[in-house]
Amino acid sequence: MTLSQFFFFYNAIVIISTALLMVTRKSPVHSVIFMLIMFFHVAGLYLFLNAEFVAALQVIVYAGAILVLFLFVIFLLNLKVDRLERQSIANWPTAAVLSVAMFTVIAMATSGMQVGPGKYSIESLNRSFGIEGSSHIKAVGVLLYTKYIFPFEAASLILLVAMIGAIVLAKKSR
Amino acid sequence: MVPLDWYIWLASALFCIGVFGFLSRRNIIIMLMSIELMLNAVNISLVAFSHYMNDIRGHIMVFFIITVAAAEAAIGLAIIIAMFRNNDTTNVDEMTELKG
């Protein structure tokens, strides 16, 4: 086993086991902690795939913003311990069988998949924008601000709507 | 060298764990976290395809998925707070007001 395969297996095993622990723990705070470990290992996998920008986004947005939001809400709600019983449906094996079957179908359908070279490689982007030899993040930024400028603006609008919506929904009604 | 298949299997396993969590748990906070798990699985597969195809558009898609996930988490948690204020519970089986 080469070093890269060892690194992949370490990350994969930690991701799968913490995800399983996350969906099975009774206390939501434990779930959030397991999810934090999972997010950091997913970020490690992204670094391994030469995606530094996505790895940084994963740590900053998921681990830094979304999980803190979950923690704040859990602390805010003040869940009573006796109400935390009976958190799963009675016939959870049905859900387990369904998801295992789904995994089997996806794995069988995608095994041995071959992918061709894409149109937007880093080298060709850097050549067409005249920034040869620069980093990966620069190529992502240039593509984001030229070809994908409209979805980028739409994303900012989505965030604005989410901000206003969250304030309106969580506000105390008089 | 790690084959592309392994990444796809990891992503699909993570997605199916998210599906299992969403179907079996009745705590609405855990259900929302399972949705985040499924979005993360899709991100892993997109980044893996992007690396193996040498195409950078996968990273752009992941950027937008993370944006939508953040917006979804904010709205979902605000709805949870509003419902907890009215019902005093996070169990979805006890939220039956929309049944009419």
Side-chain angles (χ1 to χ4, degrees):
Chain A
M1 186 188 288
T2 61
L3 189 65
S4 57
Q5 288 177 344
F6 174 76
F7 189 76
F8 175 83
F9 271 118
Y10 164 69
N11 276 303
I13 288 167
V14 173
I15 287 170
I16 296 292
S17 50
T18 49
L20 277 174
L21 283 170
M22 191 210 99
V23 296
T24 50
R25 290 306 94 186
K26 196 174 279 179
S27 161
V29 180
H30 294 173
S31 294
V32 168
I33 301 300
F34 283 124
M35 208 178 184
L36 180 69
I37 301 170
M38 195 203 83
F39 280 161
F40 274 108
H41 283 85
V42 171
L45 216 54
Y46 289 160
L47 281 181
F48 191 54
L49 287 168
N50 293 333
E52 308 95 64
F53 176 65
V54 181
L57 268 189
Q58 175 86 11
V59 171
I60 294 168
V61 176
Y62 267 115
I66 295 181
L67 274 191
V68 172
L69 205 60
F70 272 103
L71 267 184
F72 269 139
V73 168
I74 290 167
F75 290 147
L76 203 66
L77 291 190
N78 187 23
L79 299 169
K80 293 160 208 76
V81 181
D82 55 320
R83 301 293 295 275
L84 287 175
E85 303 299 324
R86 206 171 49 79
Q87 290 265 307
S88 302
I89 57 172
N91 54 351
W92 61 267
T94 313
V97 168
L98 190 70
S99 43
V100 168
M102 196 172 158
F103 170 72
T104 315
V105 168
I106 297 173
M108 281 171 74
T110 57
S111 67
M113 182 183 270
Q114 300 286 325
V115 290
K119 270 197 321 192
Y120 290 81
S121 67
I122 300 170
E123 297 79 28
S124 70
L125 274 177
N126 283 353
R127 213 178 310 115
S128 60
F129 290 117
I131 46 170
E132 272 103 336
S134 59
S135 68
H136 178 104
I137 295 177
K138 202 163 182 174
V140 175
V142 166
L143 192 60
L144 200 57
Y145 279 109
T146 53
K147 188 166 167 25
Y148 291 95
I149 184 69
F150 180 69
F152 186 74
E153 296 293 336
S156 71
L157 202 64
I158 287 174
L159 285 177
L160 181 70
V161 169
M163 203 160 67
I164 296 171
I167 293 169
V168 169
L169 282 170
K171 196 161 63 77
K172 265 208 173 69
S173 54
R174 282 176 295 258
Chain B
M1 188 63 190
V2 182
L4 174 62
D5 279 359
W6 295 7
Y7 284 102
I8 306 303
W9 291 337
L10 171 67
S12 50
L14 201 57
F15 188 87
C16 293
I17 291 172
V19 169
F20 170 70
F22 190 83
L23 289 178
S24 66
R25 298 300 301 263
R26 295 292 89 185
N27 187 337
I28 193 164
I29 297 174
I30 310 276
M31 288 169 78
L32 210 58
M33 282 161 70
S34 300
I35 296 176
E36 302 289 333
L37 207 67
M38 288 190 259
L39 288 169
N40 241 293
V42 174
N43 283 351
I44 290 176
S45 76
L46 276 175
V47 171
F49 275 122
S50 171
H51 180 247
Y52 282 89
M53 291 174 74
N54 194 15
D55 190 320
I56 211 156
R57 280 178 295 182
H59 296 188
I60 310 279
M61 265 185 244
V62 170
F63 176 84
F64 291 121
I65 289 177
I66 289 179
T67 310
V68 171
E72 173 250 321
I75 293 284
L77 288 170
I79 292 174
I80 289 173
I81 289 177
M83 290 210 291
F84 188 80
R85 195 177 286 139
N86 289 329
N87 286 358
D88 202 31
T89 180
T90 55
N91 194 326
V92 286
D93 286 338
E94 296 171 30
M95 297 173 182
T96 51
E97 282 175 5
L98 276 182
K99 264 187 195 165

